Amino acid sequence: MRIALTSDLHVDHHPEVIPLVAERARRLEAEVLIVAGDLSSSLEHLERALAGLRETSGARRALFVPGNHDLWCTAGGPSSRARYHELIPACARSAGFDPLGHHPIAIDSPAGPIHFAGVTGWYDFSLRNRELDATFTPEDYRRGAFGPLRWNDTARVVWPDDEGQPLEAPAICAAQVANLQAQLASIAGAPSVVVTHHLPFSELVTYRDPNPPSGTPRAGRDLPWDFLNGFMGSAALGEAILAAPGVRLVCSGHTHFRKSARLKGASGPVRAEVSPVGYPREYARAGLDLAARVAERVTLIDL
């Protein structure tokens, strides 16, 4: 099975990314297109983007799991929970995508069906740079603020529990992990691909200095980035994935760095991939235009 993976298209910053991604997937002759979240906080823009990808990518199936930006809500509007469970799946289906986040999707291959399970994922601060725990406190992470830096989910994600009380990030994350565990249990070890938006493994996180000697001073410009790593994902998410038999591939988003990892799962090797497009300032800083960025960040995976 030929799978094309990308994420973090952020279409409001460059709408022209959609035909470029669709053309890249078509040239790769992808059978399955996976978009691992972060298209737009506008449901109208999100559905239009997915429809554009579906119409011209040539893939026979297309899968979408929402990212944190897709779940941002406005005062008086539907909650992030409603967006996740109802509104975004409806947008995806209308655009011809299979929505992930609730039930596995089985897609036929010459070797038999492959099951795709997925959740957004969320974060519980377990992938933070622990060398800086004396700098960034648990309260800093809970508030999503360090000095002038703000993590926007804190203000723009509203996820109420069954009684209508807003959940904090670790509780959202725990529910997502439980959701994924239930999905994986339901396919009973069949060959599977897991799709998350948030990162499930520390191997996919980009730390500016992953192994600093204890007590080594850090340049001030590195500190904000290391703070943001606390919001990259959850080790519990990765533990649930690696404990499930049958998982062969994990596709994620959220970080704007291209990353790969090879891990040991319950049934053998597990390949993990992140292949995001990101923001214009990021690829411009790398000396690329959007077309070059898309060519680099729509990754073909043969499974």
Side-chain angles (χ1 to χ4, degrees), residues 13-113:
H13 294 267
H14 41 209
E16 64 273 23
V17 72
I18 295 303
L20 291 171
V21 169
E23 173 63 14
R24 172 68 173 164
R26 189 185 67 78
R27 287 182 176 273
L28 292 173
E29 298 181 338
E31 299 170 80
V32 177
L33 173 62
I34 294 176
V35 180
D38 273 7
L39 292 185
S40 176
S41 60
S42 163
L43 294 176
E44 178 184 355
H45 294 175
L46 186 151
E47 183 173 338
R48 185 185 305 139
L50 292 177
L53 292 171
R54 192 72 185 97
E55 288 166 5
T56 58
S57 69
R60 63 184 176 93
R61 297 290 289 271
L63 307 172
F64 177 69
V65 67
N68 57 310
H69 283 252
D70 306 313
L71 298 174
W72 283 3
C73 55
T74 56
S79 70
S80 301
R81 178 176 175 173
R83 291 171 74 96
Y84 182 86
H85 287 291
E86 303 165 20
L87 301 177
I88 291 176
C91 287
R93 292 188 188 97
S94 178
F97 268 70
D98 290 301
L100 293 173
H102 304 88
H103 308 288
I105 303 291
I107 300 179
D108 288 334
S109 77

Side-chain angles (χ1 to χ4, degrees), residues 84-167:
Y84 182 86
H85 287 291
E86 303 165 20
L87 301 177
I88 291 176
C91 287
R93 292 188 188 97
S94 178
F97 268 70
D98 290 301
L100 293 173
H102 304 88
H103 308 288
I105 303 291
I107 300 179
D108 288 334
S109 77
I114 296 176
H115 294 76
F116 293 77
V119 291
T120 295
W122 229 249
Y123 40 84
D124 55 9
F125 320 126
S126 57
L127 298 185
R128 68 189 186 277
N129 187 338
R130 294 172 185 270
E131 293 285 340
L132 291 169
D133 279 356
T135 301
F136 308 127
T137 69
E139 179 61 16
D140 293 331
Y141 288 117
R142 191 193 68 78
R143 293 185 302 111
F146 179 78
L149 190 65
R150 296 291 183 273
W151 184 251
N152 286 330
D153 287 356
T154 306
R156 301 202 60 180
V157 169
V158 178
W159 196 297
D161 63 16
D162 292 341
E163 284 71 46
Q165 298 302 309
L167 295 175

Side-chain angles (χ1 to χ4, degrees), residues 195-274:
V195 183
T196 68
H197 177 67
H198 292 90
L199 302 181
F201 308 115
S202 61
E203 290 86 352
L204 299 177
V205 180
T206 298
Y207 301 101
R208 291 295 174 96
D209 186 2
N211 297 299
S214 180
T216 300
R218 300 296 300 271
R221 67 179 183 274
D222 285 349
L223 291 178
W225 177 260
D226 283 292
F227 177 65
L228 297 181
N229 279 336
F231 303 90
M232 284 295 103
S234 167
L237 195 63
E239 291 165 4
I241 293 169
L242 296 182
V247 176
R248 298 180 179 179
L249 172 67
V250 181
C251 299
S252 303
H254 196 44
T255 179
H256 288 185
F257 290 90
R258 175 76 179 90
K259 302 282 283 188
S260 299
R262 299 295 185 274
L263 302 118
K264 183 178 180 181
S267 300
V270 174
R271 178 179 177 181
E273 297 286 345
V274 182

